[in-house]
Amino acid sequence: MSKKHHEAHLHGKTSIFSKFHDYIGEFIYGGIDGSVTTFAVVAGAAGAHLDSSVVIILGFANLFADGFAMSVGSYLSTKSEKQNYDKHKAIEYWEVDHLPEKEREEIREIYQAKGFEGELLEQVVDKITEDKDRWVDVMMKEELEMIEETKSPFQMGLVTFISFLFMGFIPLIVYVIDYTRGLDADLFLYSSILTFVAFGAIGYAKSYVTSTSRVRGVLETLFLGGSAAVLAYYVGVILERMIS
């Protein structure tokens, strides 16, 4: 294995997820929110003993409304990061053009702090400041500690929306089948089983992307999703008793 390939392997860039690495995280977290929030609606409806038709209405209303809100939030967040970076980059270009000596001294201080000194330090400063784009790029990374956002705001929002809908639909599958064909079964039980399988899969995928413990990732997602469901279920129970 070459050194370059070995380094890529350590950073997880040789896996199947690496091609979609910029967006897989957004897909996973959108899926977590989608499945958790929709299952919470299902659990609350089950606690209140609502019919399948009501569960479907509440579930799909939540699915599309929350999914759209999350996708807009993801879009605006990514866009604002890009705009903030561009704003500070424009300021750095202005300072390089109008305050070159000050900016040059800042480059010197940055690399002096890294251990460069004497003639080598001056060579580094000269090399960086001979190219304006390189100069500004170094200032952005070293002085402002800012990295350019390369992900598309629209694609981030779209991925969030799709994952929210896809994973959020899982808790509703049993209720949709019951409404269209009729099922002689404990709908909430089967919805819970499907949802917790989805929770486990999402937790595993999240841990794979973040290179953390698979077991911990699964259990953490199951715990968080289960906690939201239990809370929603008993809220439904209490409200049903209060109303009836």
Side-chain angles (χ1 to χ4, degrees):
M1 181 183 293
S2 66
K3 181 178 179 181
K4 184 176 181 180
H5 182 77
H6 179 68
E7 184 176 356
H9 179 73
L10 289 175
H11 288 281
K13 295 182 179 180
T14 57
S15 69
I16 190 172
F17 290 110
S18 62
K19 297 178 182 179
F20 312 101
H21 191 270
D22 286 345
Y23 302 100
I24 191 66
E26 200 70 17
F27 184 88
I28 289 172
Y29 291 115
I32 290 174
D33 284 332
S35 55
V36 169
T37 55
T38 306
F39 187 56
V41 171
V42 170
H49 303 292
L50 302 179
D51 292 335
S52 292
S53 58
V54 178
V55 175
I56 291 172
I57 292 171
L58 293 176
F60 275 96
N62 169 83
L63 192 61
F64 282 92
D66 283 2
F68 182 74
M70 272 204 65
S71 65
V72 170
S74 177
Y75 169 82
L76 293 177
S77 175
T78 306
K79 186 175 181 179
S80 66
E81 286 184 20
K82 293 177 74 71
Q83 291 175 332
N84 187 49
Y85 181 90
D86 291 340
K87 179 189 74 173
H88 286 285
K89 189 172 185 178
I91 293 173
E92 286 299 326
Y93 269 111
W94 185 91
E95 291 180 339
V96 165
D97 286 333
H98 296 84
L99 304 170
E101 289 306 316
K102 175 180 174 295
E103 293 298 293
R104 183 181 175 90
E105 182 59 31
E106 288 180 355
I107 289 290
R108 181 178 289 106
E109 290 174 356
I110 288 170
Y111 282 89
Q112 194 171 37
K114 292 178 181 291
F116 291 86
E117 56 185 20
E119 185 178 349
L120 179 59
L121 173 62
E122 295 307 316
Q123 290 176 352
V124 170
V125 173
D126 290 341
K127 187 64 179 178
I128 290 174
T129 57
E130 72 180 11
D131 182 278
K132 187 187 297 184
D133 293 332
R134 183 192 301 138
W135 191 349
V136 170
D137 184 58
V138 170
M139 294 300 290
M140 293 296 293
K141 292 177 181 177
E142 300 292 344
E143 181 189 28
L144 301 181
E145 298 181 347
M146 297 180 68
I147 303 296
E148 185 174 9
E149 177 60 78
T150 59
K151 291 173 282 190
S152 164
F154 175 77
Q155 290 178 350
M156 288 290 283
L158 181 62
V159 167
T160 300
F161 188 62
I162 291 174
S163 66
F164 194 99
L165 292 185
F166 179 75
M167 300 304 297
F169 178 65
I170 292 176
L172 298 173
I173 292 175
V174 176
Y175 289 90
V176 172
I177 295 174
D178 177 63
Y179 181 75
T180 56
R181 298 183 181 181
L183 287 176
D184 184 18
D186 186 333
L187 301 181
F188 182 59
L189 174 62
Y190 282 99
S191 177
S192 300
I193 293 172
L194 287 176
T195 304
F196 273 73
V197 169
F199 284 164
I202 293 172
Y204 184 87
K206 179 172 73 72
S207 65
Y208 192 87
V209 171
T210 57
S211 299
T212 54
S213 169
R214 308 289 189 266
V215 174
R216 179 179 178 180
V218 171
L219 292 178
E220 185 179 67
T221 307
L222 287 174
F223 174 75
L224 293 175
S227 298
V230 169
L231 177 62
Y233 180 84
Y234 283 104
V235 167
V237 170
I238 294 170
L239 290 177
E240 193 268 343
R241 289 177 179 175
M242 291 174 63
I243 294 173
S244 61

